[in-house]
Amino acid sequence: MTTHNIYVIELDKQVLEKKKFREANPDYVEDSPCVYVGMTSKTPEERFEQHKSGYRSSRIVKQFGIRLKPRQYQSLNPMGRDEAAEMEFEKARRLRKKGWGVWVN
């Protein structure tokens, strides 16, 4: 059953001032995007609004989230819950490999 989506949110570069974020991204390439990767049973748009309003929000997204990056996930959605859970971490791994700064819960 296709009930879940993954999503990618662009983060303000100020997130690089956070020690935890830098430690999670030792191979970050300067000037590359910083993003949050998540999964949800909502639409990516609904979930982004929840993050920004503080409902079940990642602190990093609430503080640094700018906008969704649909080109990074649209072709993958929707999918089953288990597939989404795997794809969330696979997407984060692929983006880190490109030198992006990535936060994933």
Side-chain angles (χ1 to χ4, degrees), residues 23-65:
E23 287 173 352
N25 295 285
D27 300 322
Y28 174 72
V29 175
E30 185 127 3
D31 293 328
S32 293
C34 294
V35 297
Y36 174 90
V37 179
M39 70 171 259
T40 182
S41 60
K42 310 247 179 269
T43 68
E45 294 77 13
E46 288 171 312
R47 188 63 187 109
F48 179 62
E49 286 307 314
Q50 286 181 332
H51 276 297
K52 292 309 281 181
S53 71
Y55 177 74
R56 297 184 64 205
S57 178
S58 161
R59 266 199 208 119
I60 282 197
V61 176
K62 188 166 176 8
Q63 193 173 357
F64 299 105

Side-chain angles (χ1 to χ4, degrees), residues 5 10 16 22 55 60 79 84 91 95 103 105:
N5 295 299
E10 182 178 346
L16 292 165
R22 285 195 318 274
Y55 177 74
I60 282 197
M79 60 191 91
K91 186 66 176 178
L95 294 176
W103 192 258
N105 283 346

